[in-house]
Amino acid sequence: MTVNDIKNAKIKSWIEECVKMCEPDQVVVCDGSAAEYDRLVKVCVDAGLATPLAKKPHSYLFRSDPSDVARVEKRTFIASKKQEDAGPTNNWIDPVELKATMKGLYKGCMHGRTMYVIPFCMGPLGSPIAKYGIELTDSEYVVLNMDIMTRAGEKVWPYLDDNFVPCLHSVGKPLENGAKDNGVWACAPVEKKYISQFPEEHLVWSFGSGYGGNALLGKKCFALRIASVIAREEGWLAEHMLILKLTNPKGEVKYVTGAFPSACGKTNLAMLIPTIPGWKVETVGDDIAWMKFGKDGRLYAINPEAGFFGVAPGTSAQSNKNALEAASKNTIFTNCALTEDGDVWWEGIGYPAKGKLVDWKGNVRDALPKDKSPKGEEFAHPNARFTAPAKQCPCIASDWESPEGVPISAILFGGRRPSTVPLVHQSRNWNHGVFLGSIVGSEITAASTIDASQVGKIRRDPFAILPFCGYNMGDYFQHWIDVGNAAKDKDLLPKIFYVNWFRKDDNNAELPGGFMWPGYGDNSRVLEWIFDRCDGKDNFIDTPIGYMPKEGAINTDGLADYYKKTLPEILKVDVEGWKKEVKDIRENHYPKFGKHLPKELMSILDDLEKRLNAAN
Ligand code: SAT
Ligand code: MN
């Protein structure tokens, strides 16, 4: 099929306009077939951009440009008409000005390249919660990744109408006069990179980067930044959340979503292997959840994606066996190291490499006798990724593609908090849960900053959606409150919990890494308590910060003695710590949102302070 065969006039004229501006050598409408995938892989292999992996069937390694290895938040823009609508946490440029600048960049930017037209669906095809888009891109790598991460190609046309989200992408490196990429990843210098969302138009324009969320526009740009705007207009929730299916030993099922800032093990939690007998965790999604009220008044969630774009380093048989299995075939690896026998390797894979490795920059180096490397000398880039089909995950839930979604019983928030925040506590009600979401954050550690004065401070990442919210974060809090108010029956709303797997006691030499809780599969012990809480079981005590496990309510069978000893400590309310927390929220966090901060949240903060004072 060609652009001329497209029946929808709005779609056709948008593509024609982009073709006129970008001037590609040719335009290909993607059908999403296996043959097309293999043809584009061959283009990349022949161009020296991809390496087939002997050890992983139908899988390829790409190396990006060293300047194009992650999302670029500084170059990500919410171009609403009014700056106030982008809010205090987003970069804003006037949309008229931004469009003028970007049109200048897009002019002729696809010379020497092919423009691919990718029709795609976020969510199961035909689902009442799904949304549709079209990405135009000059990157074969993007087409291949979109094939895994979304439902893309010919099958989408019957569902496309005037409501599609247009997503224009260019790597921003035209090839003039027959020039070739010559095995070099194409991108533009950082000051020419623009990852732009136009919320009023539900439009995405991305220029200059070929990597991940900058370029696979269905993911963060559409499914979070634009979808959060649409969700607010339409009364639902587009969230940076995993979705898991939890089955207890009696075979009863509950679905849980969870939002965590990066580096808190979100993908690991979504694919967790419980250590408590009889329990099962299965995956519905590892990154994004779209939640809408069903006819029965419950919130139903779909995973809008079809694949995992997971961080490779740190993924091992111990940390996440299921992710390794998911990425064992039909997978694209980016910026991992290459072994002599044609496999990928990364730091934290669980075993040292042998012989020589080609590192992510393409240099051949002797492998080290361990699976760690000094900072800055990693063989795999710390943000190296695997793009794997979700259906290959051994623990994918049988109903992960259910068009009506899965009914959510619990919502989790969490962060890395070495002190103050207990292992788990439950909000008293929906608005108190919104409060917990609004204060999500991780403590800044020496490992995450070069600025020593920042260490110990909390980097707030409300709802873990800070870089992905398409509008004013204060209005976003209000939207969550409005969704709770819109519930037909408040008792049917999911229960909201705050978990913290990362409490530390560096003075206790018995604890591995100083962590007071083992995490990983043992987090199932906390999930069990949450499951029972959703059933209203009498397993809690009322505390100044919310509901917490009563003594003996967390299953400790088989837990190492030193964790049994630390458990009471991480299930206590640290009154003095929480008073400092309240002060930090009042002085440093909430003032950012000015008059957009919902008054409900301020009264919950006041109430928390009162309860803490009364606890003395
Ligand atoms: O590159 S992505 O935005 O897809 C992943 C991430 O940075 O969270
Ligand atoms: Mn994410």
Side-chain angles (χ1 to χ4, degrees):
M1 131 174 220
T2 69
V3 175
N4 275 329
D5 302 318
I6 296 172
K7 300 218 174 53
N8 182 300
K10 190 173 166 193
I11 295 176
K12 193 164 164 216
S13 74
W14 172 67
I15 297 173
E16 283 167 350
E17 222 176 276
C18 294
V19 169
K20 209 165 135 202
M21 179 162 72
C22 301
E23 300 170 358
D25 282 13
Q26 53 169 338
V27 182
V28 169
V29 179
C30 296
D31 61 16
S33 66
E36 177 184 83
Y37 188 95
D38 290 340
R39 185 168 56 77
L40 293 182
V41 161
K42 188 167 182 304
V43 170
C44 296
V45 172
D46 290 350
L49 296 164
T51 309
L53 296 170
K55 286 291 166 103
K56 292 204 159 46
H58 204 228
S59 300
Y60 304 88
L61 171 67
F62 285 77
R63 274 177 222 114
S64 79
D65 186 274
S67 72
D68 199 26
V69 293
R71 281 183 297 104
V72 278
E73 286 177 19
K74 276 207 235 38
R75 307 297 304 164
T76 300
F77 302 95
I78 302 296
S80 45
K81 288 186 185 135
K82 289 196 285 184
Q83 178 160 14
E84 190 175 353
D85 291 335
T89 58
N90 282 313
N91 299 315
W92 177 83
I93 301 182
D94 175 81
V96 176
E97 181 192 327
L98 181 56
K99 278 201 175 168
T101 306
M102 290 190 74
K103 278 183 184 167
L105 293 167
Y106 278 133
K107 187 71 202 152
C109 72
M110 294 190 186
H111 285 178
R113 299 193 186 273
T114 302
M115 176 194 276
Y116 297 95
V117 178
I118 314 170
F120 67 95
C121 172
M122 298 312 291
L125 270 179
S127 156
I129 313 179
K131 297 271 174 199
Y132 301 85
I134 297 182
E135 177 160 353
L136 306 180
T137 179
D138 53 4
S139 160
E140 286 81 15
Y141 172 83
V142 166
V143 180
L144 297 170
N145 277 271
M146 286 291 284
D147 248 334
I148 298 174
M149 294 304 297
T150 73
R151 284 92 178 165
E154 217 159 62
K155 56 184 181 280
V156 180
W157 286 111
Y159 300 94
L160 274 160
D161 59 22
D162 285 2
N163 269 325
F164 74 104
V165 172
C167 302
L168 174 60
H169 170 253
S170 171
V171 293
K173 194 172 180 215
L175 296 167
E176 306 293 356
N177 308 317
K180 295 260 180 293
D181 283 324
N182 286 325
V184 179
W185 174 275
C187 61
V190 67
E191 68 280 4
K192 285 195 180 168
K193 291 190 211 285
Y194 286 89
I195 320 301
S196 307
Q197 283 69 206
F198 300 89
E200 285 98 354
E201 289 178 76
H202 302 170
L203 169 70
V204 182
W205 276 10
S206 165
F207 185 91
S209 167
Y211 204 87
N214 302 332
L216 314 177
L217 303 186
K219 196 174 178 59
K220 310 294 189 185
C221 300
F222 177 172
L224 288 174
R225 297 194 194 100
I226 294 297
S228 63
V229 170
I230 299 175
R232 182 177 174 221
E233 291 164 358
E234 297 180 353
W236 49 280
L237 298 167
E239 299 303 322
H240 189 211
M241 289 181 177
L242 64 86
I243 312 169
L244 65 81
K245 178 179 187 175
L246 187 58
T247 307
N248 75 1
K250 288 191 212 150
E252 294 161 343
V253 170
K254 291 193 199 303
Y255 297 90
V256 178
T257 63
F260 297 81
S262 56
C264 289
K266 190 160 130 224
T267 301
N268 296 346
L269 181 61
M271 300 178 189
L272 170 142
I273 302 172
T275 51
I276 45 176
W279 286 78
K280 193 158 76 180
V281 168
E282 292 163 292
T283 312
V284 176
D286 80 325
D287 197 36
I288 301 176
W290 285 357
M291 291 185 275
K292 227 181 206 174
F293 285 113
K295 285 195 189 70
D296 61 359
R298 301 188 68 186
L299 266 183
Y300 282 75
I302 63 162
N303 170 10
E305 302 190 280
F308 306 126
F309 186 65
V311 178
T315 308
S316 68
Q318 194 248 324
S319 70
N320 197 337
K321 203 165 148 223
N322 287 317
L324 280 185
E325 186 63 32
S328 63
K329 58 187 178 192
N330 307 316
T331 295
I332 295 172
F333 295 91
T334 311
N335 289 343
C336 299
L338 177 67
T339 66
E340 281 173 324
D341 60 354
D343 206 345
V344 279
W345 186 91
W346 49 75
E347 282 71 18
I349 199 169
Y351 53 85
K354 290 195 200 80
K356 304 230 178 265
L357 284 173
V358 185
D359 71 14
W360 70 275
K361 290 181 181 162
N363 299 316
V364 181
R365 293 195 274 147
D366 290 323
L368 300 176
K370 51 188 180 185
D371 91 334
K372 289 196 175 52
S373 305
K375 212 172 156 88
E377 292 171 35
E378 293 90 352
F379 288 88
H381 187 276
N383 192 38
R385 297 277 173 158
F386 56 82
T387 318
K391 60 172 186 276
Q392 290 184 180
C393 183
C395 62
I396 197 81
S398 57
D399 48 357
W400 78 283
E401 294 191 281
S402 158
E404 58 279 2
V406 294
I408 300 304
S409 297
I411 298 174
L412 314 185
F413 295 113
R416 266 181 192 266
R417 297 296 306 264
S419 68
T420 312
V421 178
L423 180 63
V424 59
H425 67 294
Q426 182 187 355
S427 74
R428 293 173 207 290
N429 51 48
W430 179 264
N431 282 359
H432 184 213
V434 176
F435 169 81
L436 295 183
S438 79
I439 66 167
V440 164
S442 285
E443 192 166 304
I444 301 170
T445 62
S448 64
T449 182
I450 47 167
D451 179 356
S453 73
Q454 294 296 308
V455 173
K457 290 194 180 156
I458 313 299
R459 180 177 287 143
R460 303 278 170 195
D461 183 355
F463 291 75
I465 207 170
L466 197 63
F468 309 120
C469 184
Y471 59 100
N472 188 307
M473 184 67 80
D475 297 343
Y476 168 92
F477 298 157
Q478 185 63 53
H479 176 57
W480 264 78
I481 290 172
D482 293 345
V483 165
N485 288 334
K488 279 203 288 211
D489 178 351
K490 298 251 186 303
D491 287 343
L492 296 178
L493 282 168
K495 308 285 179 278
I496 303 180
F497 301 82
Y498 199 112
V499 297
N500 177 24
W501 322 130
F502 301 100
R503 282 289 289 272
K504 286 196 88 173
D505 179 359
D506 289 322
N507 300 319
N508 185 340
E510 263 187 322
L511 299 170
F515 287 102
M516 298 166 83
W517 180 250
Y520 299 105
D522 285 308
N523 291 338
S524 56
R525 301 171 189 279
V526 177
L527 292 179
E528 174 180 16
W529 184 77
I530 288 169
F531 189 104
D532 291 341
R533 253 340 359 259
C534 293
D535 282 338
K537 207 165 147 182
D538 176 25
N539 58 355
F540 72 103
I541 51 167
D542 196 349
T543 81
I545 60 170
Y547 305 139
M548 289 176 66
K550 74 177 178 195
E551 215 185 311
I554 296 277
N555 181 344
T556 57
D557 288 352
L559 197 63
D561 276 345
Y562 46 82
Y563 291 127
K564 282 187 191 162
K565 268 192 256 165
T566 51
L567 189 59
E569 192 55 36
I570 59 179
L571 290 179
K572 260 212 301 260
V573 181
D574 171 3
V575 173
E576 291 314 310
W578 274 97
K579 283 185 183 168
K580 281 196 208 125
E581 186 81 10
V582 167
K583 187 168 183 299
D584 183 53
I585 296 164
R586 201 184 286 292
E587 289 175 6
N588 303 315
H589 182 43
Y590 275 179
K592 288 186 288 236
F593 307 105
K595 68 176 174 38
H596 290 264
L597 184 82
K599 56 183 185 330
E600 289 87 341
L601 295 187
M602 199 48 108
S603 16
I604 290 168
L605 183 65
D606 293 341
D607 178 66
L608 172 60
E609 188 166 39
K610 259 189 234 137
R611 288 172 189 266
L612 291 166
N613 287 334
N616 277 6

